[in-house]
Amino acid sequence: MRGLMKAFAFILLLITAPMARVMAQSPAALPAQSAIPALQKAPPGLDNDSCMDCHSDNTLTGKGAHGKEVSMFVDAALLAGSAHQKLACFACHGDLTKKHPDDNAVAKPVDCRRCHEAEWKTYAASVHGIALVAGDQSAPDCVACHGSHAIVTPTSPASSLHFSHLAQTCGVCHKQESRDVQASVHGRAAASGVREAATCVDCHNDHQVEALKDAPSYKISIEICSRCHGSERINEKFSMPDDRVSTFLGSYHGLAAMQGRVNGVANCASCHGYHRILPSSDPNSSVNPKHLVETCGRCHPNATRNFAFSRVHSDEFTGSDLGAIVNRWVRRIYLALIFTVVGTLTLHNMLAWLRSAIQARRRSGPLVLRMTRAFRIQHFILLSSFILLALTGFALKYPDSWIAWEFAANENVRRWLHRGAGVVLMGVGLFHIIYSLATRDGRRLVRDILPRAQDMRDAAANLRYFTGRTNTRPRYGRFGYAEKIEYWAVAWGIVIMGGTGLMIWFKMDATRWVPRWVVEAAVVVHYYEAILACLAIVVWHFYHVIFAPDIYPMNWAWWDGKVSRHWQAEEHPLDKSTVAEMDPPATGDPPDPVH
């Protein structure tokens, strides 16, 4: 299998390598040259040692960019341990000259965008950046959050942006919000070292900070709170209920939020609060039983205790109270009723359909063999593996969908079923090629199924017939253009799906031959080819073998290989092939050859 995959990957490499070289040489594909002056040598008199002659004095002060008295002390030890330890001072303070400090020039604010262009763009779109560009001198800039000389990575406990310090850092400007967060369940968890605890940037973003005061309900609940409370990993790790998001989205408030209603729809923060979020067991919590009437009354002025104690985040079927007990029994009764009634109706109609299909089959007259047993077996394996591939494939793509849980709740089961079905599909395709070359029936199939110029003329003639421009239908041989399109589409699909599937399965081996972007492109091709194949089967194949009025309820050739002599004569009057098997006519006359 690995050898087959490598051969296929090598073919792709031959095709894509020239393209990759062109892309690599294209100016658009090259990273932009940065203006970072980190490694440039500082001019004489502006080297770090000269700067530290004065700035190592911890009593040194001066006027900042806004005229305020600020400390000019630079701790050499902190600077040496910062992310900018290799930068020369003049790399950031390039506006200063050798005359400094005698010229009394005040250093301009550092332009961080010279090195951090991407971060600056997102910051400029934030509430802080917009305010700063508008001239608000109190708006925080890069230094306000990251610091100046002792900048370290946010993952370091010494960083002002470490998750355990974020509340204090943001609290320099947002004092009340900081106090509320530190008193909340999130703040307490962060202070105790829990990395998963929600911080300021988890809700408001880091560089592109956004205000959420007037944010629509769906953004608060679905895009903000659900990041953590919809996470299976976080809920399991901290023994939190895993249905907080689903039960809210199933409530009136959640449904209204998902429908896009902006005003008057309660979100998570409407009940739990924004910053001072406390557990319901805390007497000060807004969702504590003592405060529920008051909390609901903010939106529902006439809220009563019975109204306020309705279930929002609890499954109505759980609990030991009278309401939960009644709901459980109502559900059980209705589930039994639905299963019994609908099951009986389904069984009744299935028997009726089967009986009608058999009778229609008997009324169709003499039968002729159109599909041999060997081809029927191949077709059955093909359709079985295709159905399994479609179910497991979309279940893998959408693990939260109903099909994933109804089909197989375990991802490993879905993955290996998908791979197994793929191997079977490629195997039956390979066997079909060998069979078609090695047997008489196979070689005859190849001769009859090959596209010809007549197929184009037949398609044009059929279009004229469909639109009423002529009353004469085209006359087909063993296979018409519709069947040929379907056959070769299946062959194309097996090659594309098999090749891309192998690259995805053995991605580590594939990247020895091709760039990673080729594998990523294979994922895209695999997904959309699957959609194309499924829709083609439903729209094209199902019509011709099930829903066409002259064949309904189905073409039985897939089951026993036989079709009615009348249908054969109507659909394939030019088929001169030998009929391997023919049922005698109802009159007892000897069977006539099919023409």
Side-chain angles (χ1 to χ4, degrees), residues 73-74 79 82 84 92-93 110 142-151:
F73 169 65
V74 177
L79 179 61
S82 73
H84 295 158
C92 296
H93 301 285
V110 174
C142 305
V143 173
C145 298
H146 291 272
S148 55
H149 299 101
I151 298 175

Side-chain angles (χ1 to χ4, degrees), residues 82-100:
S82 73
H84 295 158
Q85 56 183 285
K86 295 183 180 180
L87 287 176
C89 299
F90 111 104
C92 296
H93 301 285
D95 56 301
L96 299 179
T97 66
K98 298 178 184 179
K99 298 179 181 180
H100 182 78

Side-chain angles (χ1 to χ4, degrees), residues 415-483:
R415 182 189 302 115
W416 284 106
L417 283 176
H418 189 72
R419 293 172 176 176
V423 171
V424 171
L425 183 71
M426 290 186 289
V428 73
L430 182 61
F431 176 82
H432 180 74
I433 294 175
I434 298 173
Y435 183 86
S436 298
L437 297 176
T439 65
R440 185 181 65 177
D441 285 345
R443 290 190 294 269
R444 184 162 59 89
L445 171 70
V446 173
R447 289 195 302 270
D448 295 338
I449 205 72
L450 284 175
R452 293 179 174 82
Q454 182 61 38
D455 297 320
M456 298 294 295
R457 293 190 288 270
D458 288 344
N462 217 19
L463 182 60
R464 291 193 296 270
Y465 175 75
F466 289 155
T467 56
R469 296 170 58 189
T470 179
N471 292 324
T472 303
R473 295 181 61 185
R475 295 165 63 83
Y476 304 123
R478 184 182 179 190
F479 298 110
Y481 71 89
E483 293 157 311

